[in-house]
């Protein structure tokens, strides 16, 4: 391998570089190694959560393949916060914040040590966008290796995911579930390592990375414990070495058309609302022009083809067995919904990568629907606007018979306040719940509202109660839910002016979110409103509050408001 890399030039040229070489000898470099490319391996392994607990074997395989391919792999750790464990606690405020921390940590390690490429291995939700953001910022050759999905649990013949115990809470408190079933679901929901098993945020982002071109085709929906997952990590390392040889960089791959491919895949698979927030951030890091309105443009063109949880029937391992992401991409290409000429990390175009797949899904499976019989004729992530969200907000409209509601507002200034009311059975059919001061600055960190939405579903109110928030939703959420309302309450958005009993309209057909209060009254309320003081004044959350942008720009801290 030729000495084409950043680090070898720094450590091989001249006597002045001998101290650099001396320190590297202490970590295993020999005389023949200084001209090899140094490849960072960003290791998200953590025993704190199932999403990341299976990563170390993947890192070991990747390190071995990098060494065998003539590189010098150097591993470094990155943190992770697990949403499913932090959900409903103060720890959840660190979830979205961790996306920025992970991206910064990868950038710091790779650029601080002048590495020539990076292989990022992560599992939980924020690991994926953080890795892509860092790769795009640094623009050194890189590849993403997803840790893999969990296998489904089972209880009395029912397939379980992490959302099952959250919904069981609502069902049990409403008297709709026995204690035996409540305990059985909790004990059996997570049987293996791996990320949450539906088309939730982790699987949404990992599958979209195949469409984006920064992960190997077919790798994203493999189960974390299975041998093929470790094999794909080794193959990813081999592909990265070739990308370094060719000087193929992330910004050669992450283009506007590639992002459109990724969002088309998200729509076709019924993916998470969080994809909107994360792709705004990835685009910003890559210097690609992409706005919240682009999601709506793509949504109108792409049907929902996959019957996947949370609103559908099947889990990620079912999707993988049915042909997975490559099969859906081929269907999109066959119907002119994919830019086939986009480059991937392999050095081949996406069309070349999926050439061997048929344009129709395999017979005998029900996970991927034929193009002529989609689950929904258009995508499921609708961008709504109106006086409640002039910058836009995100509604997930799958699984609903009628995605419209007008009802009285039930207003809460935090998620815990709302959860207390739900558990006390104070929310009624027809209500529109408003949870505010949970936005990027107000929360801070846009907590996910999985506990309230799951409790409402468990109580049988999933389709009859609306929920609006300037916070976020878990990828496992479904129902009449609208998140990412911008401007947020902390910044003086209209959501801060809503009062109990006000009439509020959510209408996905008209892409409308409206507070039905006249302008004069809103002006009076605004004159009397004062922003509450920040919830944190020191530490990481305080720094995040000062730096973070509005959700309509991806809640980024790199160039925020």
């Amino acid at each position: 391998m030729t000495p084409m890399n950043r680090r070898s030039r720094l450590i091989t040229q001249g006597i002045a570089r001998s101290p650099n070489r001396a320190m590297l000898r202490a970590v295993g470099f020999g005389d023949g190694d200084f001209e090899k490319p140094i490849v960072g391996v960003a290791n998200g392994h953590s025993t704190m959560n199932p999403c990341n607990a299976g990563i170390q074997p993947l890192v070991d395989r990747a390190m071995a393949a990098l060494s065998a391919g003539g590189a010098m792999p150097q591993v470094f750790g990155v943190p992770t916060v697990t949403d499913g464990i932090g959900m409903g606690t103060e720890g959840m405020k660190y979830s979205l914040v961790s996306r920025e921390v992970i991206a910064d940590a990868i950038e710091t390690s790779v650029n601080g040590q002048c590495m020539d490429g990076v292989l990022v291995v992560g599992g939980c939700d924020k690991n994926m966008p953080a890795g892509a953001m860092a790769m795009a910022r640094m623009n050194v050759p890189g590849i993403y290796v997803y840790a893999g999905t969990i296998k489904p649990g089972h209880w009395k013949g029912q397939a379980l995911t992490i959302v099952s115990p959250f919904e069981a809470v609502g069902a049990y408190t409403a008297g709709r579930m026995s204690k035996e079933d409540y305990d059985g679901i909790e004990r059996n929901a997570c049987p293996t390592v791996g990320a949450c098993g539906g088309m939730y945020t982790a699987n949404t982002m990992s599958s979209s990375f195949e469409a984006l071109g920064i992960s190997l085709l077919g790798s994203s929906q493999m189960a974390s414990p299975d041998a093929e997952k470790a094999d794909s990590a080794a193959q990813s390392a081999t592909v990265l070495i070739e990308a370094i040889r060719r000087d193929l960089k992330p910004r050669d791959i992450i283009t506007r058309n590639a992002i459109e491919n990724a969002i088309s895949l998200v729509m076709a698979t019924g993916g998470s609302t969080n994809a909107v927030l994360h792709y705004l951030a990835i685009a910003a890091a890559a210097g690609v022009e992409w706005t919240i309105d682009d999601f709506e443009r793509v949504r109108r063109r792409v049907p929902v083809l996959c019957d996947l949880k949370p609103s559908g029937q099947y889990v990620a391992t079912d999707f993988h067995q049915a042909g997975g992401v490559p099969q859906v991409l081929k269907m999109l290409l066959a119907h002119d919904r994919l830019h086939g000429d986009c480059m991937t990390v392999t050095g081949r175009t996406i069309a070349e990568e999926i050439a061997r797949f048929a344009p129709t899904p395999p017979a005998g499976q029900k996970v991927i629907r034929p193009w002529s019989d989609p689950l929904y004729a258009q995508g499921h992530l609708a961008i709504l606007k109106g006086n409640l969200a002039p910058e836009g907000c995100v509604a997930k409209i799958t699984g609903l018979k009628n995605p419209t509601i007008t009802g009285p507002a039930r207003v809460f200034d935090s998620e815990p306040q709302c959860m207390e009311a739900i558990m006390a059975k104070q929310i009624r059919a027809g209500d529109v719940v408003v949870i505010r001061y949970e936005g990027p600055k107000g929360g801070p960190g846009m907590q996910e509202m999985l506990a309230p939405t799951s409790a409402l579903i468990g109580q049988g109110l999933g389709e009859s109660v609306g929920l609006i928030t300037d916070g976020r939703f878990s990828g496992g959420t479904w129902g009449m839910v609208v998140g990412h309302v911008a401007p947020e309450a902390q910044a003086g958005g209209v959501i801060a002016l809503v009062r109990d009993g006000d009439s509020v309209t959510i209408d996905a057909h008209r892409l409308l979110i409206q507070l039905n209060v006249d302008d004069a009254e809103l002006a009076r309320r605004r004159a009397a409103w004062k922003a509450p003081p920040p919830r944190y004044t020191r530490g990481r959350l305080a720094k995040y509050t000062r730096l973070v942008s509005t959700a309509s720009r991806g809640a980024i801290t790199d160039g925020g408001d």
Side-chain angles (χ1 to χ4, degrees), residues 21 31 39 78 99 117 125 172 191 194 210 250 262 267 298 368 395 405 410 414 416 430 436 461 504 508 514 518 549:
R21 294 195 298 272
D31 287 343
V39 178
V78 294
R99 185 189 73 181
D125 296 5
Y172 179 66
E210 292 186 43
M267 296 294 179
V298 175
I368 305 172
I405 187 172
R410 298 293 310 279
S414 70
R436 63 190 180 191
L461 298 172
V504 175
Q514 189 77 13
D518 64 59
S549 78

Side-chain angles (χ1 to χ4, degrees), residues 260-438:
E260 185 165 314
N261 285 348
I263 299 307
S264 295
L265 190 281
V266 170
M267 296 294 179
T269 55
S272 168
T273 54
N274 286 304
V276 175
L277 200 70
H278 296 329
Y279 270 100
L280 287 167
I282 291 167
V288 172
E289 182 182 345
W290 188 269
T291 72
I292 195 169
D293 295 321
D294 286 311
F295 293 92
E296 181 60 30
R297 175 177 58 81
V298 175
R299 183 190 75 83
R300 292 172 181 268
R301 298 185 67 240
V302 179
V304 180
L305 298 171
C306 299
D307 188 7
L308 295 168
K309 290 179 180 292
S311 59
Q313 300 182 63
Y314 299 101
V315 296
T317 50
D318 299 324
F319 181 41
H320 183 55
Q321 291 168 5
V325 173
Q327 179 62 70
V328 175
L329 290 177
K330 188 57 176 275
M331 295 169 69
L332 292 171
L333 181 66
H335 292 87
D336 195 29
R337 303 300 196 276
L338 193 79
H339 300 284
D341 59 350
C342 286
M343 182 57 61
T344 75
V345 68
T346 65
R348 296 183 292 273
T349 67
I350 192 74
E352 291 171 330
E353 287 288 295
I354 60 177
R356 64 185 178 87
F357 289 86
T360 56
Q365 57 80 40
K366 297 180 181 180
V367 185
I368 305 172
R369 303 279 284 269
W371 192 270
S372 59
D373 184 29
L375 213 59
Y376 303 94
Q378 293 183 321
H380 63 299
L381 300 181
I383 305 301
L384 312 188
K385 290 189 176 181
N387 69 350
L388 254 176
E391 292 180 14
C393 57
V394 186
K396 190 174 187 179
I397 58 177
T398 45
L400 298 174
K401 295 174 183 151
N402 182 23
T404 65
I405 187 172
T406 294
R410 298 293 310 279
V411 182
F412 303 94
D413 286 347
S414 70
E415 181 195 21
Q417 286 181 9
C418 177
M419 195 62 187
E420 288 177 11
I422 293 171
M423 298 304 288
K425 302 181 185 177
Q426 295 172 0
I427 305 301
R428 303 285 183 263
D431 287 345
V432 178
V433 174
V434 177
I435 305 177
R436 63 190 180 191
Y437 297 105
E438 293 287 9

